[in-house]
Amino acid sequence: LVVSDANRQVILKILQVVREALPRETVICSDMTQIAYVANQMFPVFEPRTWFHPVGFGTLGFALPAGIGAKFGKPESPVAVLVGDYGSQFTLNEIGTAVEHKLPIVILLWNNSSLGAIHDNMVLYGIQPNAVTLMNPDFQLLARAYGCAAERPGNLKALTAAIKAALKADGPTLIEMTPAMANA
């Protein structure tokens, strides 16, 4: 899928902060989302078996259940998931599983309020974007309803602090990232 140059530049700024904040050995499970498409090409991975992405059928909702499995499989390793606003809604209820088991998973939720890659592909092919702008729930309230910590950093410095705190937490933390934070 295509990611526009403007979106790619914003995403690269955010991914650089994510990479610097996460330990090298972090197991990262990604979803079908624009930020993961860029990360598949550009995100440095230093250790074997630490980057998991659903290839083939493009499974939305893969990241969080995979991250929970990764944390059970490698409890000593930090685990982060990279999920989009739309894909997260396929398995959002699994936050309850992570809370119940006190799994310190860093949930990096990319909220661009759209199906961004599909939007960019429509524009690329001269198609008027249709049904790609979403009305999202309040992810902060949903996470907290499950007993999960939740943050919405306003800038990249705050994103670093949120990731560092999430790595030390006693359970999962949802960190909602937006395109605006890259330029704040």
Side-chain angles (χ1 to χ4, degrees):
L1 290 169
V2 171
V3 177
S4 72
D5 289 338
N7 287 335
R8 181 178 295 279
Q9 293 312 307
V10 167
I11 289 168
L12 285 171
K13 286 181 187 179
I14 293 170
L15 285 174
Q16 181 178 357
V17 170
V18 170
R19 177 69 279 171
E20 290 171 0
L22 292 174
R24 292 174 62 97
E25 70 276 10
T26 301
V27 175
I28 301 170
C29 299
S30 66
D31 216 276
M32 299 303 289
T33 177
Q34 224 174 18
I35 197 168
Y37 304 149
V38 175
N40 279 334
Q41 298 170 350
M42 306 299 292
F43 195 82
V45 176
F46 303 109
E47 305 294 331
R49 293 178 292 284
T50 58
W51 181 262
F52 296 93
H53 183 77
V55 296
F57 291 111
T59 307
L60 283 164
F62 168 83
L64 184 55
I68 290 169
K71 192 63 183 173
F72 278 122
K74 288 186 81 175
E76 72 287 351
S77 295
V79 173
V81 301
L82 195 55
V83 63
D85 48 3
Y86 199 79
S88 68
Q89 295 181 63
F90 282 74
T91 56
L92 191 64
N93 59 308
E94 293 299 339
I95 287 176
T97 302
V99 169
E100 181 180 341
H101 293 282
K102 296 180 173 66
L103 301 176
I105 296 171
V106 182
I107 304 166
L108 298 164
L109 189 142
W110 175 243
N111 186 351
N112 61 357
S113 296
S114 73
L115 294 165
I118 296 170
H119 174 276
D120 287 355
N121 274 280
M122 291 173 119
V123 169
L124 177 70
Y125 291 107
I127 301 167
Q128 176 66 37
N130 183 33
V132 292
T133 304
L134 310 172
M135 185 177 133
N136 280 326
D138 185 325
F139 292 109
Q140 302 294 297
L141 286 176
L142 279 171
R144 289 185 181 113
Y146 282 105
C148 179
E151 300 288 335
R152 186 183 295 126
N155 57 49
L156 297 176
K157 184 176 180 182
L159 174 59
T160 298
I163 292 171
K164 297 286 187 182
L167 289 166
K168 296 175 185 173
D170 292 333
T173 302
L174 184 138
I175 301 172
E176 189 173 350
M177 306 177 300
T178 65
M181 72 186 326
N183 298 316

